Amino acid sequence: MPTLSALTSLLDDWYPPATADDWDAVGLVWGDPAQPVSKILLAVDPTQPVADEAAAWGADLVVVHHPLFLKGVHGFAATSPKGRTLSTLVAAGCALLTAHTNADQALGGVSESLALALGLSSPHPLVPGESPEVGTGRAGTVPATTLGAFAESVAAALPGTAAGIRVAGDLDRPVSSVALCGGAGDFLLDQVAAYDVYVTSDLRHHPASEFLENGGALIDIPHWAAEWTWLPVLARRLNDAVGDTVEVRVSEIVTDPWTLRL
């Protein structure tokens, strides 16, 4: 049975903390490096329901994408939502580790996982990093289709949410080249005009409108759903690395903040 320290080192090798953005907060949030780990729960968000699931299952480690504490704190009293979440994990003896922007760009990371889930062939970084396979976003090709049909396939490939997906552009537009970015990706709009469609989350009104005016097409997908596609990939990677010594579970709890669309 591996220790928390050994698993932290493994994840740090796959998703080096040094590659995270300067504003980010990644790595081990809480836990005794010497403690043995037999159960790992994977989730996008460190919310109270996820902490409750981890405690009920007897998880020794929760690995999440989004940080619990993005800014410095002086304590984690259970009088606040974040404090209650961490208090639940501490009481259960369950460690917490975050891989955020360091997992976004990595080989086998969030954007690559999304690209594979959506059926892109030979995905490669939109903005290359320091090595050939690492970088921001992904681009690739799909068999010739239309924007409307591709949007339907995107919806089918993602876990369901109340928010659903939004499509901007002529639904009969031919699509074969696709650019995407897991999470909020409107910062890449200036770099994806050459592709038939850009898939990302949290697109704002004015940047989206200007992109359409310049001949582009967009598919806006729920932030949680986009990044959830990384969890099964990470689960398989962990299983390959640690074998039968650790049980890995992907949380099915929908932590997308929207609960109803009218």
Side-chain angles (χ1 to χ4, degrees):
M1 188 183 303
T3 63
L4 176 58
S5 177
L7 288 167
T8 299
S9 295
L10 182 65
L11 288 161
D12 285 351
D13 286 341
W14 294 342
Y15 315 110
T19 64
D21 291 341
D22 292 342
W23 52 264
D24 206 1
V26 302
L28 186 62
V29 178
W30 182 85
D32 179 355
Q35 74 182 69
V37 174
S38 63
K39 291 184 176 181
I40 303 174
L41 181 68
L42 308 180
V44 174
D45 297 296
T47 60
Q48 186 63 50
V50 169
D52 291 338
E53 178 185 10
W57 183 48
D60 304 298
L61 170 64
V62 176
V63 178
V64 293
H65 184 50
H66 292 142
L68 178 63
F69 299 114
L70 194 54
K71 298 180 180 179
V73 297
H74 299 290
F76 57 93
T79 52
S80 69
K82 292 181 182 294
R84 283 192 293 275
T85 295
L86 188 54
S87 295
T88 299
L89 295 175
V90 171
C94 182
L96 178 64
L97 186 146
T98 298
H100 191 210
T101 53
N102 51 321
D104 284 332
Q105 302 185 44
L107 179 67
V110 174
S111 284
E112 182 180 284
S113 298
L114 177 60
L116 295 175
L118 300 189
L120 272 65
S121 298
S122 304
H124 56 275
L126 275 170
V127 182
E130 295 181 358
S131 63
E133 297 176 311
V134 174
T136 302
R138 290 296 186 272
T141 60
V142 295
T145 184
T146 64
L147 177 61
F150 180 64
E152 292 285 351
S153 71
V154 169
L158 297 177
T161 64
I165 72 170
R166 301 184 295 176
V167 183
D170 180 357
L171 297 182
D172 293 322
R173 175 191 179 98
V175 167
S176 59
S177 65
V178 179
L180 60 81
C181 182
D186 65 2
F187 67 98
L188 290 173
L189 284 173
D190 291 340
Q191 303 181 54
V192 296
Y195 297 92
D196 296 328
V197 63
Y198 180 46
V199 183
T200 192
S201 304
D202 303 338
L203 287 168
R204 295 172 294 161
H205 175 89
H206 293 296
S209 294
E210 291 172 4
F211 190 78
L212 291 180
E213 289 169 357
N214 286 308
L218 298 166
I219 299 179
D220 186 290
I221 59 179
H223 195 126
W224 169 83
E227 295 177 333
W228 187 93
T229 60
W230 172 58
L231 303 183
V233 174
L234 177 56
R236 290 192 294 270
R237 199 170 189 182
L238 284 167
N239 283 323
D240 289 343
V242 300
D244 296 333
T245 61
V246 176
E247 187 176 355
V248 182
R249 175 188 289 187
V250 173
S251 177
E252 301 287 343
I253 295 174
V254 177
T255 54
D256 188 81
W258 307 110
T259 54
L260 178 64
R261 182 169 184 168
L262 300 175

